[in-house]
Amino acid sequence: MTAVAGVSCIIDRGSFVALVGTSGSGKSTLLKMVNTLVTPSGGRVLFGGEDVTTLKQSKLRRRVGYVFQGIGLFPHFTVGENIAIGPRLAGETLSDGRIAELLTLVELEPDMARRMPDELSGGQRQRVGVARALAGDPELLIMDEPFGALDPITRDALGVKVRELHEKLGLTTIMVTHDMAEALLLADRVMVMSFGELVADETPRELLDGKGGEIAQSLVAVPRQQAEKLAFMERPEGSS
Amino acid sequence: MSEIFEILLELGDKFAAHIVLAASAIGLGILVALPLAVWASRSQNVARVALGFASLVQTIPALALLALFFPILLSLRGVFGEDLPTLGFLPALLALALYALLPILRNAVTAQANLDPGVLEAADGVGMTSWQKLTLVEGPLSAPFVMAGIRTASVWTIGAATLATTIGQPSLGDPIFAGLQTQNWALVVAGCIASAGLALVVDALLGIVENGFAKRNRWQYGAGIVAVALGVIGALVYQADGDDDDTIIIASKQFSEQYILAQLIGSQLEKAGYSVEYRDGLGSAVVHSAVASSSIDISVDYTGTIWTNELERTDNPGREVMYQTIADWERENTGVRVLGRLGFENAYAFAMRADRAEELGVTSLEQLVPFGPQLTVGGDPEFFERPEWIAVRDTYGLRFGETRNFSPTFMYNALRSGEADVISAYTSDGRIAADRLVVLDDPREALPSYDAMLMLSPRIAEDEGIARALEPLIGAISVEAMREANYAVDREGEGKLSPKDAAARLAETLGL
């Protein structure tokens, strides 16, 4: 079976792109092609103009920060060791100061560096996951359902934080999500995938204006109806 | 109880040998299993083949696996040369390592299969190479489970290593086998206590290591590993200390007569100033190759056995010619020196109750022939298939009315109770004397002789000091004296002796 069929797109430096689709639409697979965790059977992925398969894998993966769906912290490493793993693999030692800085960046206490992952809450763990992705000063941040396992409040806070870091660090960010509301609120460009194909590529504004076709609109309809219902419930008693 | 304790105190060298053997086998098992597990985690086919093979090995009884390495190594001599040992440490090591493979391999493969896929994906995602992923993530996360496998393998191996005795490797199985054969339960219990105790201690230490890995406590697993290492080093040092090229190794097969003679030979050599070591309970089939390869130095073997098994002959040229032919053949082919015959035979013979023999008026097989059709003959399960029986049947034209199979112990009971009139017995069996049986003469020499011979390995063949020390035994032991000594060891209750005491009494009888 083909997970990803004909997809052709260009992502501008500095943009925050959300890749939206239902489960099995091929969005995670597409994302993994970027840092060669998955190799396409046909076609190419260019990163800064170079084919990713010709780049040295270790170099490529340093330039691409990856936040994983399952968080994927190494349970036998401390928080600090987890954050420092990328540079360590490249033969560098991340200073305690830099680790503290990264922790502060994701709003964690610097002394958390000595803790083990299983002592942290889910939200804290994914913050460490983001800090780990940022440790190598990447140009591109890719996130695969980064907030999927978090409670709504944590999820919202972390989403806002990531968008803030995106601006602050001048990153290019691709986020895979199945939540259209999250995509509309965080990204400045939303791509919609269905059955391995790119079916819409619009700004949030355009999607809300009804563009992007039937599939995209059916995904936009969910949060819109929810918002309308909430607005209706909130109106003063007796008005119409 | 104090007897068991005394035996335990004397088990030092067996204990050290047992530890060195088990540790080497587990070490080799780990060396093979871990890379195989890594390979298996990357290939379904390798996993299937490796686990299938390890499980198959596990279905072979440990005793058979140990014995199998003798012919395997023998055939490998074509490749590695005649110096390749076929008995003792090497085959024991290989068989036990194979046996240790399964638990280590299975736990390692299972541990790898159960690693969190999110963590493995992250390892790739952060840019780890395959080797980094193995050493930084898969290895440390699998370690507690792998350790659990090593623990299981260790307990199995320590237990199974007692069986190494049968292929000539000293171990804590020596007292167990010797005790079982001579019904000396103190020896058996002491051997079991020592090997079970060792297994428990090792299990506890490795448990500490496993726990340390699980809690990622360096001090804890470090301390456990150091304790195990110190134990092994201690055993190695002890062994190296006791290792002495001048020590004469005396072997015995798995029956009382052999244990007694080994002790008798040992005491003669010790009196002459030699230091000796006993390798008790060797499998009957391996003793000759062990002495020929100088893995052991002295054995007592029987002319009929060597004639059939080594010279591969089926004819019967008579007692004297057979002995001379064997002595010459050994000198020319194996370098083993046949020092001489001890004087008695442990041959197949036909025995009757004295009153019954008198009744019929028979003293020889010849005289038995006319009565045959009215009589019932009992034999051990293989006897009626053996060339000995066929030879007797054909030489005398002897036919019995009924033929019955009994296990050796029950044969004598059957004779006593009248269920059998004649039985196939072993001439030096103590029960012949105890039950006052009549052994029928064999005037036509149909039964091959089983003269007990002293065999010296090529290593000590030229040692005239040894020859002189053993000279008094040649031709000195009558079958009556041997029967009495065997009976003293085999019997139950009052008057039961250990092989050592029986040997001492026999020496006294011989005036040594």
Side-chain angles (χ1 to χ4, degrees):
Chain A
M1 206 193 96
T2 315
V4 177
V7 173
S8 185
C9 66
I10 293 168
I11 290 167
D12 294 328
R13 192 178 291 271
S15 60
F16 194 124
V17 176
L19 200 52
V20 189
T22 49
S23 304
S25 59
K27 51 196 193 306
S28 280
T29 311
L30 183 61
L31 194 69
K32 283 175 184 162
M33 286 177 193
V34 176
N35 78 339
T36 65
L37 276 180
V38 172
T39 322
S41 50
R44 293 187 302 164
V45 179
L46 301 180
F47 179 42
E50 290 176 276
D51 190 331
V52 288
T53 53
T54 64
L55 288 169
K56 212 176 157 220
Q57 205 174 50
S58 55
K59 280 227 177 86
L60 170 72
R61 289 184 185 168
R62 286 214 59 193
R63 289 169 64 194
V64 181
Y66 201 139
V67 179
F68 305 93
Q69 185 171 15
I71 304 177
L73 293 188
F74 302 117
H76 55 306
F77 287 177
T78 63
V79 165
E81 286 167 340
N82 263 288
I83 292 173
I85 186 69
R88 177 179 160 193
L89 295 174
E92 295 164 30
T93 321
L94 215 55
S95 71
D96 288 351
R98 173 72 178 140
I99 292 171
E101 194 183 313
L102 285 161
L103 282 168
T104 315
L105 215 53
V106 294
E107 289 174 334
L108 289 173
E109 293 299 322
D111 62 6
M112 216 169 243
R114 284 188 301 277
R115 302 256 207 102
M116 299 306 284
D118 59 5
E119 298 170 46
L120 310 184
S121 70
Q124 287 172 326
R125 259 182 262 168
Q126 193 53 299
R127 280 171 195 270
V128 174
V130 173
R132 177 172 68 181
L134 296 176
D137 292 318
E139 301 157 47
L140 176 65
L141 181 65
I142 56 181
M143 304 193 285
D144 189 0
E145 303 265 11
F147 315 129
L150 305 179
D151 67 81
I153 295 176
T154 313
R155 182 181 182 128
D156 189 55
L158 201 50
V160 172
K161 186 73 219 171
V162 166
R163 176 76 218 199
E164 189 190 313
L165 287 170
H166 167 81
E167 303 294 343
K168 190 172 166 184
L169 303 173
L171 298 167
T172 305
T173 305
I174 309 173
M175 175 176 75
V176 160
T177 177
H178 58 259
D179 183 348
M180 183 54 96
E182 193 171 70
L184 292 170
L185 291 168
L186 294 177
D188 32 50
R189 184 174 162 197
V190 178
M191 298 202 280
V192 180
M193 282 191 77
S194 178
F195 296 105
E197 289 187 48
L198 203 55
V199 295
D201 184 356
E202 310 287 348
T203 64
R205 182 74 251 169
E206 286 164 337
L207 282 175
L208 289 172
D209 283 347
K211 289 186 184 159
E214 203 180 322
I215 296 171
Q217 283 306 314
S218 71
L219 290 169
V220 173
V222 180
R224 174 181 279 148
Q225 279 163 11
Q226 285 172 339
E228 280 167 2
K229 271 188 199 158
L230 289 171
F232 180 76
M233 287 160 77
E234 267 181 346
R235 85 205 143 100
E237 204 71 41
S239 66
S240 60
Chain B
M1 270 328 273
S2 66
E3 192 188 348
I4 294 172
F5 187 71
E6 270 170 40
I7 296 168
L8 278 173
L9 287 181
E10 284 176 15
L11 283 180
D13 52 339
K14 310 286 183 206
F15 202 69
H18 200 93
I19 291 174
V20 171
L21 173 64
S24 311
I26 296 159
L28 184 60
I30 292 171
L31 277 182
V32 175
L34 291 190
L36 207 54
V38 172
W39 192 14
S41 75
R42 276 130 175 86
S43 156
Q44 278 290 322
N45 286 333
V46 173
R48 227 173 332 209
V49 171
L51 281 175
F53 172 74
S55 306
L56 183 74
V57 166
Q58 210 58 230
T59 63
I60 305 173
L63 195 60
L65 192 63
L66 283 158
L68 267 178
F69 267 91
F70 175 64
I72 292 174
L73 288 171
L74 206 58
S75 65
L76 284 178
R77 278 189 167 179
V79 183
F80 295 102
E82 291 300 309
D83 289 337
L84 187 73
T86 53
L87 290 167
F89 189 78
L90 183 68
L93 170 73
L94 295 177
L96 292 173
L98 264 183
Y99 224 54
L101 215 54
L102 181 69
I104 305 175
L105 191 62
R106 179 163 285 165
N107 274 43
V109 169
T110 310
Q112 292 240 335
N114 288 329
L115 288 178
D116 179 1
V119 169
L120 295 182
E121 193 190 355
D124 289 325
V126 299
M128 287 189 190
T129 62
S130 191
W131 175 249
Q132 286 170 326
K133 188 172 157 187
L134 178 68
T135 53
L136 293 174
V137 180
E138 293 169 299
L141 291 179
S142 302
F145 305 99
V146 173
M147 205 55 224
I150 293 174
R151 232 174 120 186
T152 309
S154 302
V155 174
W156 286 8
T157 306
I158 290 169
T162 54
L163 301 173
T165 294
T166 56
I167 53 169
Q169 164 61 25
S171 75
L172 289 170
D174 292 16
I176 298 177
F177 276 92
L180 278 176
Q181 192 51 51
T182 61
Q183 303 190 11
N184 180 340
W185 305 121
L187 266 178
V188 177
V189 171
C192 289
I193 288 175
S195 83
L198 178 63
L200 287 176
V201 169
V202 169
D203 186 53
L205 285 177
L206 295 180
I208 291 172
V209 176
E210 181 188 333
N211 213 307
F213 276 140
K215 290 196 295 194
R216 305 192 179 97
N217 182 334
R218 269 163 221 250
W219 286 106
Q220 194 181 333
Y221 67 73
I225 291 171
V226 167
V228 172
L230 283 179
V232 175
I233 292 168
L236 275 171
V237 169
Y238 188 98
Q239 232 190 4
D241 243 20
D243 218 19
D244 190 351
D245 263 1
D246 294 340
T247 303
I248 307 297
I249 301 170
I250 305 166
S252 63
K253 301 184 187 183
Q254 297 163 351
F255 49 95
S256 305
E257 180 173 297
Q258 289 270 322
Y259 293 113
I260 299 167
L261 292 174
Q263 292 291 337
L264 182 64
I265 293 163
S267 71
Q268 280 301 106
L269 289 175
E270 275 175 338
K271 268 194 285 180
Y274 289 92
S275 65
V276 300
E277 207 181 290
Y278 300 98
R279 195 81 23 104
D280 289 337
L282 261 65
S284 178
V286 304
V287 168
H288 185 265
S289 17
V291 75
S293 63
S294 299
S295 305
I296 56 167
D297 292 315
I298 301 180
S299 70
V300 172
D301 226 316
Y302 304 91
T303 49
T305 309
I306 303 290
W307 188 254
T308 322
N309 296 349
E310 305 305 326
L311 277 66
E312 294 175 354
R313 288 179 61 167
T314 50
D315 55 329
N316 184 3
R319 193 171 174 179
E320 291 306 316
V321 178
M322 191 186 267
Y323 168 71
Q324 273 313 324
T325 311
I326 288 171
D328 295 342
W329 182 87
E330 293 285 5
R331 191 175 53 244
E332 282 158 26
N333 291 283
T334 62
V336 169
R337 176 174 178 190
V338 181
L339 194 63
R341 288 176 285 182
L342 294 173
F344 72 93
E345 278 192 80
N346 184 359
Y348 274 107
F350 287 83
M352 294 182 79
R353 245 164 50 196
D355 55 339
R356 192 89 173 97
E358 209 170 321
E359 201 181 299
L360 299 176
V362 295
T363 55
S364 76
L365 286 170
E366 194 122 57
Q367 295 163 335
L368 192 67
V369 175
F371 302 104
Q374 308 152 32
L375 303 175
T376 298
V377 66
D380 62 44
E382 56 170 322
F383 180 70
F384 296 106
E385 305 299 326
R386 290 188 64 94
E388 283 85 353
W389 163 240
I390 294 164
V392 168
R393 191 188 61 192
D394 296 349
T395 309
Y396 294 97
L398 186 58
R399 297 284 182 283
F400 286 105
E402 202 187 336
T403 299
R404 296 184 67 175
N405 286 328
F406 299 98
S407 78
T409 312
F410 288 116
M411 236 157 42
Y412 294 91
N413 293 340
L415 201 57
R416 219 173 296 147
S417 67
E419 282 173 79
D421 303 296
V422 185
I423 59 167
S424 74
Y426 315 105
T427 48
S428 62
D429 196 309
R431 284 167 292 202
I432 288 177
D435 291 357
R436 282 190 288 278
L437 302 182
V438 171
V439 175
L440 299 177
D441 292 335
D442 174 21
R444 295 193 204 165
E445 292 199 333
L447 286 163
S449 58
Y450 279 79
D451 261 314
M453 304 177 285
L454 258 182
M455 319 279 279
L456 307 188
S457 74
R459 190 176 80 92
I460 58 161
E462 307 299 321
D463 191 326
E464 288 311 315
I466 291 174
R468 255 196 314 283
L470 298 179
E471 203 64 51
L473 298 179
I474 303 302
I477 307 174
S478 68
V479 72
E480 288 77 17
M482 195 67 238
R483 275 178 199 159
E484 196 186 318
N486 284 339
Y487 186 63
V489 172
D490 285 335
R491 69 179 297 171
E492 292 294 325
E494 197 81 4
K496 183 176 174 66
L497 296 178
S498 71
K500 193 171 180 172
D501 292 340
R505 191 192 279 177
L506 181 58
E508 227 171 278
T509 318
L510 303 180
L512 298 170

